[in-house]
């Protein structure tokens, strides 16, 4: 029985695993390789360079940085070491290398840009860090004093941390820092919790509702003795805290245990370090120190993810609102500041440098902050000024509110001419009749008419009146006058024998001028008269 052609094509002819064979195309022709000429090579390099420059220009154009214009806030007399925006972007707090902290409120500013208040947490102590909480209702400031201070956004003191006992060797046994603070950061998940780091090798977690210490972390390094915790930062979800000390970096769980860090790396930097978590990530953070910036993964701190070098300056870093860009403040690295303040813009994932922004002002950039709500950047300079950059097309409110607002001027209205009131003179004034009660009250208020006795003068005497103070009452109670308790007859008879043996009182005074005294003689009365 034969199968039709239509059915036979569905029946396989062989079974088992088949080997695939690659059939060569008949059109493929094998040609020998030829080396390009030198002219073609130069042309290719030129085209590659042009394409790279075009890509870089297009990347810079796509960054949309709010840096087209800037304003200056000039009130500090020393270098601005700390900056902090509130969440809406209406207020900014700035601290200097001195005790003063200025409070700026943009909705109430005019074109002069003056702060509405100045506070001094501790006299003679340098401001090192200022941070707002997530809601923007309070900010905490860390100075070179061992106690952090909590303020409301209007500058009213809301609390103060306790200082520890400096004579206690074990830092776990004291409820406070014993040396100056270095850093501070808020828990992003709790507005009532923050962490502080100081020069006593400890991280301490605090509760703002009771202003008490919750936990303490003692940081240990290979270096003997106490080391300063120069930086600390919470992760985006608040589960991890990273700290930098003596060039090393440690990662701790924010809720404990704090016996040993989860991750640790030594010699990450050779100098003081600053830390900041990437806003869009819970594991990536950036550290800066010894003229380089490094990107780390908190889950593995053995090696850095990326690194950028040649960024000389202080430890000032800030992320863009979406976390894709990293701003790095640049400086001269010496006592002489730069002639022009510069900020480097890096890619947060690869740390490749996109460009450098000039602020148009002299000095080094010591602190930097980028507000996500109004899209404006604040840079604290070593000259004591604060440069706030913005773009009218990209930014809103903030420093733009006070540019067109003029200060109020008060002019006296003299169009009505002089006002003459002749009856107000004492010669023409007629006293209105006053009621008896008012007259009585007025006389009682007058000490002369009411014959009010003069009150005792406290302290030093004045006006011929001897002053009365507490010392006189104390001395009177100690040195009592017992003359009233003494019998006057006994007091006179005490001198009777002395007057008789040595008469020098009244009788010797008239001895020469007074005659001889004659006394009457006693005459006895008759017996009959005595009987009567």
């Amino acid at each position: 029985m034969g199968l039709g052609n239509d059915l036979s094509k569905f029946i396989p002819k062989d079974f088992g695993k088949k080997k695939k064979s690659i059939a060569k195309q008949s059109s493929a022709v094998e040609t020998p390789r030829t080396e390009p000429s030198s002219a073609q090579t130069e042309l290719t390099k030129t085209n590659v360079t042009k394409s790279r420059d075009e890509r870089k220009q297009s990347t810079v154009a796509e960054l949309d940085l709010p840096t087209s214009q800037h304003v200056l806030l000039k009130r500090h007399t020393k270098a601005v070491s700390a900056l902090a925006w509130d969440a809406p972007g209406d207020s900014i707090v700035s601290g200097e290398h001195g005790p003063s902290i200025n409070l700026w409120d943009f909705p109430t500013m005019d074109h002069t840009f003056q702060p509405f208040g100045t506070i001094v947490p501790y006299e003679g102590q340098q401001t090192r860090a200022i941070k707002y909480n997530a809601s923007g209702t309070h900010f905490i400031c860390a100075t070179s004093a061992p106690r952090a201070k909590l303020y409301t956004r209007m500058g009213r003191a809301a609390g103060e941390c306790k200082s520890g006992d400096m004579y206690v060797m074990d830092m776990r046994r004291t409820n406070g820092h014993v040396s100056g603070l270095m850093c501070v950061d808020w828990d992003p998940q709790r507005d009532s919790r923050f962490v502080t780091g100081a020069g006593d090798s400890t991280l301490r977690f605090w509760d703002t509702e009771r202003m008490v210490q919750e936990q303490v972390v003692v940081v240990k390094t290979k270096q003997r003795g106490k080391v300063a915790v120069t930086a600390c930062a919470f992760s985006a979800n608040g589960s991890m805290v990273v700290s930098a000390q003596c060039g090393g970096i440690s990662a701790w769980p924010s809720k404990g245990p704090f016996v040993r860090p989860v991750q640790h790396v030594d010699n990450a930097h050779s100098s003081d370090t600053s830390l900041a978590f990437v806003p869009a990530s819970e594991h990536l953070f950036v550290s800066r120190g010894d003229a380089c910036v490094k990107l780390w993964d908190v889950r593995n701190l053995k090696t850095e993810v990326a690194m950028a070098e040649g960024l000389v300056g202080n430890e000032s870093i800030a992320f863009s609102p979406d976390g894709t860009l990293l701003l790095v403040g640049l400086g001269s690295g010496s006592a002489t500041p730069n002639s022009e303040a510069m900020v480097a813009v890096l890619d947060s994932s690869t740390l490749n440098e996109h460009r450098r922004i000039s602020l148009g002002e002299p000095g080094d950039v010591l602190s930097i902050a980028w507000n996500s709500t109004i899209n404006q950047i604040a840079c604290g300079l070593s000259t004591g000024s604060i440069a706030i950059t913005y773009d009218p097309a990209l930014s809103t409110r903030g420093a733009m509110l006070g540019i067109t607002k003029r200060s109020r001027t008060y002019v006296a209205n003299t169009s009505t001419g002089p006002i003459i009131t002749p009856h107000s003179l004492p010669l023409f004034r007629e006293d209105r009749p006053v009621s008896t009660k008012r007259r009585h009250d007025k006389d009682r208020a007058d000490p002369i008419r009411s014959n009010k006795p003069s009150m005792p003068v406290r302290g030093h005497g004045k006006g011929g009146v001897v002053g009365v103070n507490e010392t006189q009452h104390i001395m009177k109670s100690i040195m009592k006058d017992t003359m009233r308790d003494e019998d006057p007859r006994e007091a006179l008879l005490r001198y009777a024998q002395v007057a008789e043996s040595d008469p020098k009182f009244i009788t010797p005074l008239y001895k020469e001028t007074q005659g001889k005294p004659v006394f009457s003689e006693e005459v006895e009365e008759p017996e009959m008269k005595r009987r009567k």
Side-chain angles (χ1 to χ4, degrees), residues 93-106:
V93 183
S94 60
E96 62 180 9
H97 283 174
S100 299
I101 294 178
N102 288 330
L103 309 175
W104 313 80
D105 186 43
F106 294 107

Side-chain angles (χ1 to χ4, degrees), residues 106-281:
F106 294 107
T108 59
M109 282 186 186
D110 53 15
H111 70 286
T112 59
F113 292 103
Q114 295 297 321
F116 74 89
T118 301
I119 59 176
V120 179
Y122 299 102
E123 194 67 35
Q125 304 295 333
Q126 174 186 342
T127 304
R128 290 178 174 171
I130 300 175
K131 290 293 180 66
Y132 264 104
N133 59 357
S135 59
T137 57
H138 294 79
F139 68 89
I140 194 80
C141 63
T143 64
S144 55
R147 294 176 294 176
K149 213 161 188 180
L150 181 68
Y151 290 92
T152 63
R153 64 184 307 271
M154 298 305 295
R156 296 192 181 98
E160 184 179 9
C161 297
K162 296 181 180 179
S163 59
D165 189 354
M166 66 178 67
Y167 298 103
V168 177
M169 298 300 295
D170 189 0
M171 290 293 100
R172 297 184 183 91
R173 302 294 181 181
T174 180
N175 297 325
H177 291 288
V178 298
S179 61
L181 301 179
M182 303 295 293
C183 55
V184 65
D185 196 19
W186 285 91
D187 189 342
Q189 302 299 324
R190 280 179 57 189
D191 281 349
S192 60
R193 187 171 185 246
F194 65 92
V195 62
T196 57
D200 55 359
S201 302
T202 60
L203 283 170
R204 299 181 187 270
F205 296 85
W206 302 85
D207 183 12
T208 59
E209 295 179 355
R210 297 177 297 165
M211 288 309 292
V212 295
Q213 175 185 296
E214 291 184 344
Q215 293 100 7
V216 57
V217 181
V218 178
V219 180
K220 297 181 180 180
T221 60
K222 295 181 179 179
Q223 181 180 350
R224 298 186 63 182
K226 296 180 181 180
V227 295
V229 180
T230 58
C232 60
F234 273 98
S235 60
N237 58 358
S239 61
M240 298 294 294
V241 176
V242 292
S243 63
Q245 60 281 334
C246 194
I249 299 176
S250 303
W252 310 83
S254 63
K255 296 183 180 179
F258 303 112
V259 178
R260 60 178 58 88
V262 178
Q263 293 287 334
H264 178 76
V265 58
D266 289 322
N267 301 324
H269 294 278
S270 61
S271 61
D272 294 342
T273 310
S274 61
L275 301 172
F277 266 90
V278 180
S281 175

